[in-house]
C-alpha cells in the first residue's frame, strides 16, 4: 500500500482559509494536521495516495510556497503498539 504525505505552508493569515479549501476535497481516510506553533503548515496523510491529485490547484493566495508530497510504503513492525482505549 502506498501512502502519501502532503505538506504546505499557508500564506500569512491564511491558515483557516486554506483548511476551509482543503478539507472538502479529501477522501474519508485522510488525516489532516496543522502546526501547533511556528510557521502555519498543514500536513495531510492519505492512505489512498490520491491526495496530490485531489489538492492540485491550491489557490496561490492561500499558500506561501508550492506544496510538497512524498510517497511512503508500509513496513512491518513486530513491536505491538499501545493498547487502545476501552481494551
Amino acid at each position: 500500500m502506498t501512502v502519501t504525505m502532503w505538506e504546505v505552508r499557508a500564506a500569512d493569515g491564511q491558515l483557516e482559509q486554506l483548511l476551509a479549501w482543503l478539507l472538502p476535497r479529501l477522501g474519508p481516510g485522510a488525516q489532516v494536521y496543522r502546526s501547533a506553533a511556528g510557521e502555519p503548515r498543514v500536513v495531510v496523510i492519505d492512505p489512498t495516495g490520491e491526495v496530490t491529485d485531489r489538492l492540485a490547484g491550491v489557490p496561490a493566495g492561500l499558500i506561501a510556497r508550492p506544496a510538497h508530497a512524498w510517497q511512503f510504503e508500509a513496513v512491518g513492525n513486530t513491536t505491538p503498539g499501545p493498547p487502545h482505549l476501552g481494551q
Side-chain angles (χ1 to χ4, degrees), residues 9-84:
R9 189 173 123 209
D12 289 341
Q14 297 299 308
L15 180 60
E16 295 304 320
Q17 290 82 352
L18 175 61
L19 288 168
W21 180 88
L22 180 144
L23 291 172
R25 290 167 171 76
L26 297 175
Q31 300 174 1
V32 180
Y33 302 88
R34 66 175 165 194
S35 55
E39 295 178 334
R41 295 181 187 272
V42 175
V43 171
V44 177
I45 307 294
D46 180 25
T48 69
E50 298 174 357
V51 71
T52 304
D53 293 335
R54 290 177 179 263
L55 300 180
V58 179
L62 298 180
I63 57 176
R65 58 157 175 76
H68 298 285
W70 299 269
Q71 302 289 314
F72 294 91
E73 294 178 349
V75 295
N77 183 354
T78 59
T79 305
H84 294 285

Side-chain angles (χ1 to χ4, degrees), residues 80-87:
H84 294 285
L85 295 176
Q87 290 185 342

